[in-house]
Every structure is written in structure tokens, then in C-alpha cells.
Amino acid sequence: MPEHELAKHKLLGICGALRADSSNRMLMREAARLFAPADFTEADLRLPLYDGDLEAEGIPEVVTRLADQVRGADAIIISTPEYNKAPPGVLKNALDWISRVPGAAFAGKPVAIMSSAAGRAGGERSQYVLRWMLTPFNARVLTAPEILIPGANKAFDAAGKLHDEKSVELLQKLMDALRAEIRA
């Protein structure tokens, strides 16, 4: 496919960490850089906590916007930290809200997941739980290569680029696979 056609793809990045300088935000941006060219958007997960009473008043506009971004994306990358052996509540909350918006936003969407964590497993348990959490959404979650970045506090340079060449190589393979899933 010619490069000018590749740029038409819409890539949505979802980061399970809210902190602006989190290693998972850097990992998500590094993945987007390797996926490029694309129209890349970062999702905003600063949503109200899911509450049935709030939902009864109407789905909040920020939630509808997020669901529309998911629905409009050609592919999605999700980078999640590991908090107490699972993805953070902010990511679960976002998925809970998206599930309440009519239209099955994630259905059939190619999704690549990745993680960065301070520990030596690089967020492996968080990824396992996230894969499980995505099951009811019927997304096409890529299974390999797994991107697990351990020692997150030392894994990126000042510009947010991964140091380890093998990690960059695997991340590139995952982004190539994600791009191939768009065409599948």
C-alpha cells in the first residue's frame, strides 16, 4: 500500500495512566511513532466514575466523545501500567463507560496492547487481565509479540524513546501486525 494511503489510517492511543510523563504514555507515543504515518489521537480517560444514577441522567459528553473516538479509529493501541497486579481503575472505568454507549464501539477493531512497569515482569499480569477485560467488547486483540517493558523508570531516554533495541524491534513488529490487521 502506498505511503500516502497509510497516512489515512486513524490510530487511537489509550493510556491507562493519567500522569503526563508516565512510562506508559511514552510507550504509547513510541508505538504511534513506529506505526506512523497515521492520524494519531490520544484518548482522554479523565472521566467521571461510572455510576448508574449518572448514566440515567444521560451518558456524559466526555464518554460519548471517547466512544466515538474508538468507533472512528481504524486501530487502537492500549498501554497499561500494572497497579496491584491489574490494570488501573481509570482504564477499567473507561471500558465500563464505553460499554454503556450504544453501538459496540470496539467490535471488530484491531487492538494492540502493551505495558511498562517498574518491576521485572513489565506489566505481564496487567496485560493478561486487560485481555480478559476486552473479551466482551469483541475487539480483535493481537496476541503477539507481547510488549512488556520492565524497569520503566530507566527504559526511556529524555525524549521518550525506548533505549533497548530489542524492545524497539518487537514494538515495530507489533505495529506492523496492527497495520496488517487493518487491511485484514
Side-chain angles (χ1 to χ4, degrees), residues 27-95:
L27 180 58
M28 176 189 67
R29 289 175 179 161
E30 184 77 338
R33 182 184 69 79
L34 295 173
F35 183 92
D39 179 11
F40 178 62
T41 301
E42 288 186 31
D44 180 4
L45 299 191
R46 292 182 188 277
L47 309 173
L49 290 175
Y50 175 75
D51 174 349
D53 292 336
L54 183 57
E55 179 185 4
E57 296 172 12
I59 303 288
E61 189 274 329
V62 293
V63 173
T64 302
R65 182 179 329 119
L66 176 59
D68 288 346
Q69 288 174 332
V70 170
R71 191 176 295 104
D74 295 310
I76 300 165
I77 52 178
I78 302 176
S79 186
T80 183
E82 183 170 302
Y83 298 167
N84 300 309
K85 304 182 191 281
V90 68
L91 183 52
K92 174 70 166 83
N93 184 59
L95 294 174

Side-chain angles (χ1 to χ4, degrees), residues 107-125:
K109 295 288 179 186
V111 177
I113 63 174
M114 57 202 66
S115 57
S116 175
R120 67 181 179 270
E124 183 176 30
R125 293 170 292 213

Side-chain angles (χ1 to χ4, degrees), residues 2 20 27 31 44 52 60 66 115 127 153 160-161 166 179 183:
L27 180 58
D44 180 4
L66 176 59
S115 57
Q127 278 198 35
N153 55 335
K161 303 266 190 304
K166 184 65 174 172
R179 188 176 290 285
R183 295 190 294 260

Side-chain angles (χ1 to χ4, degrees), residues 27 113-115 121-125 127-128 131 142-149 166-167 169-171 173-174:
L27 180 58
I113 63 174
M114 57 202 66
S115 57
E124 183 176 30
R125 293 170 292 213
Q127 278 198 35
Y128 176 77
R131 288 176 193 280
L142 279 67
T143 58
E146 289 181 310
I147 306 300
L148 307 159
I149 308 298
K166 184 65 174 172
S167 294
E169 179 184 319
L170 288 172
L171 187 56
K173 285 182 181 180
L174 182 63

